[in-house]
C-alpha cells in the first residue's frame, strides 16, 4: 500500500530559519528590552517562545550613557520583554 506524502513548504522555510539561527550562535548581540534596558552578550540559544539566553552579558541602562554598563554573566531574557534583537558586526 502506498502512503501519500504531502509536501509541506513551511518545513523548508523552517529549515532555513534554523540554519540562520545556528549561524548567529556565539556571535555578539544586542537585545533591546521593553523597559528601555539593552543587554549585550554572546548569543547562546533561543526557544519557540522567543526566550533568549546570552553568555558573558552586560546591561546598559542607556546608549547615551555607556558608563551605566554592568556585567551580569549568563542571562535568560524572556521573549515577552524582547523588542529588538541585533547581531553586532565583529
Amino acid at each position: 500500500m502506498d502512503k501519500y506524502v504531502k509536501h509541506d513548504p513551511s518545513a523548508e522555510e523552517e529549515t532555513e530559519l534554523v540554519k540562520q539561527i545556528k549561524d548567529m550562535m556565539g556571535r555578539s548581540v544586542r537585545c533591546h528590552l521593553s523597559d528601555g534596558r539593552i543587554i549585550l552578550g554572546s548569543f547562546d540559544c533561543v526557544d519557540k517562545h522567543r526566550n533568549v539566553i546570552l553568555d558573558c552579558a552586560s546591561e546598559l541602562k542607556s546608549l547615551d550613557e555607556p558608563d551605566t554598563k554592568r556585567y551580569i554573566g549568563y542571562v535568560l531574557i524572556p521573549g515577552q520583554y524582547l523588542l529588538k534583537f541585533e547581531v553586532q558586526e565583529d
Side-chain angles (χ1 to χ4, degrees):
M1 294 185 193
D2 291 329
K3 295 204 177 213
Y4 293 98
V5 178
K6 292 184 179 180
H7 177 67
D8 184 7
S10 65
E12 291 175 9
E13 292 172 18
E14 188 173 301
T15 303
E16 182 59 31
L17 290 174
V18 169
K19 182 178 180 286
Q20 289 176 4
I21 295 290
K22 285 182 178 180
D23 289 343
M24 287 190 281
M25 295 188 80
R27 300 211 31 212
S28 295
V29 297
R30 180 184 290 174
C31 297
H32 296 257
L33 306 183
S34 59
D35 65 357
R37 291 180 296 161
I38 299 164
I39 309 294
L40 310 169
S42 175
F43 179 57
D44 201 25
C45 71
V46 66
D47 66 9
K48 66 181 179 180
H49 304 289
R50 288 187 350 174
N51 298 319
V52 173
I53 295 180
L54 302 180
D55 194 12
C56 301
S58 296
E59 173 190 35
L60 283 176
K61 298 280 185 181
S62 166
L63 282 176
D64 300 329
E65 300 176 35
D67 296 339
T68 60
K69 187 175 182 178
R70 72 179 180 113
Y71 181 77
I72 51 178
Y74 204 67
V75 65
L76 172 105
I77 300 170
Q80 65 186 12
Y81 302 116
L82 185 63
L83 296 178
K84 187 175 177 183
F85 181 89
E86 300 176 293
V87 176
Q88 302 291 310
E89 296 299 322
D90 294 328

